[in-house]
Amino acid sequence: MAKVRIGSNMICRLFPNFASHIYPCYMKMKKFFATMFIMAMASVSTCMMAGTPINASQLPKSATTFLTKHFPSDKVRKAETDQGRRGVEYEVDLVSGAEIDFNADGTWKEVKAAHGKAVPAAIVPAAITKYVNANFKGLSIVEISRKRGGYEVELSNGTELKLTEDAKPMAPRQGGGKRH
């Protein structure tokens, strides 16, 4: 005995009422629920990505020392803790607009200067400062982050450099796969 597949076209032909009234409503409802599901998933993922607000006093001692040393006249606007790939991480936004990310032990991981300003010169390795001054006259470092094997810096004109601590270009990572 042959199997008969009943599709929406066949149902619409067999039951004209279904075709004109019920089927369009069913499709609208299906589209509505699909849209609601997508919105709910986007909302949940956004909540999972957001950090947990903390008081500045809850930052590691070395992070607060860094802030008072390199941003003495600035105040913490917002501090959050996140679960990163390598444990707890801290994100700090200052009133001036500067943003600093810290590792679990309080060492800085990334520093973004306030708009129109440079990162504190004291946190940039001397060789990198010398390299930038020699090769990119008149530009300042507005962002610096520590990466495996060196630093990634962004200059005031948007140029990004990946340099070792002694200001040599970092070799591109080989393999392209994730390391565990």
Side-chain angles (χ1 to χ4, degrees):
M1 179 172 207
K3 289 186 179 182
V4 176
R5 290 187 62 189
I6 298 178
S8 59
N9 285 341
M10 186 173 203
I11 291 173
C12 291
R13 276 190 246 128
L14 292 173
F15 303 102
N17 257 353
F18 181 80
S20 62
H21 299 291
I22 299 170
Y23 186 71
C25 291
Y26 167 75
M27 292 308 292
K28 285 181 184 176
M29 197 163 66
K30 187 175 174 182
K31 186 176 181 181
F32 171 77
F33 282 117
T35 303
M36 293 304 291
F37 177 76
I38 291 168
M39 289 174 54
M41 294 311 295
S43 176
V44 167
S45 68
T46 300
C47 289
M48 289 175 65
M49 297 298 260
T52 305
I54 60 170
N55 292 322
S57 61
Q58 293 174 284
L59 291 168
K61 178 95 172 104
S62 54
T64 55
T65 303
F66 177 89
L67 293 171
T68 55
K69 180 179 179 182
H70 299 291
F71 299 92
S73 60
D74 218 339
K75 300 284 182 230
V76 174
R77 182 177 63 82
K78 179 178 82 172
E80 293 179 340
T81 181
D82 265 331
Q83 187 62 39
R85 290 185 307 178
R86 298 185 180 177
V88 176
E89 296 177 352
Y90 298 92
E91 297 176 20
V92 177
D93 294 349
L94 301 179
V95 173
S96 67
E99 299 174 20
I100 303 100
D101 293 346
F102 296 98
N103 291 319
D105 64 356
T107 56
W108 68 269
K109 182 176 148 183
E110 181 175 11
V111 178
K112 293 180 186 176
H115 184 70
K117 298 195 177 191
V119 298
I123 69 168
V124 181
I128 293 177
T129 301
K130 184 177 176 183
Y131 177 83
V132 169
N133 290 339
N135 296 291
F136 300 92
K137 290 192 187 312
L139 299 180
S140 57
I141 298 173
V142 296
E143 186 176 329
I144 185 167
S145 56
R146 291 181 170 157
K147 300 293 180 191
R148 182 178 291 157
Y151 295 85
E152 191 171 301
V153 297
E154 183 177 330
L155 305 179
S156 51
N157 69 349
T159 300
E160 292 184 5
L161 306 170
K162 293 181 181 181
L163 303 167
T164 61
E165 190 160 346
D166 57 350
K168 297 199 178 2
M170 282 177 43
R173 281 180 67 177
Q174 299 295 321
K178 289 184 179 180
R179 291 185 179 174
H180 298 283

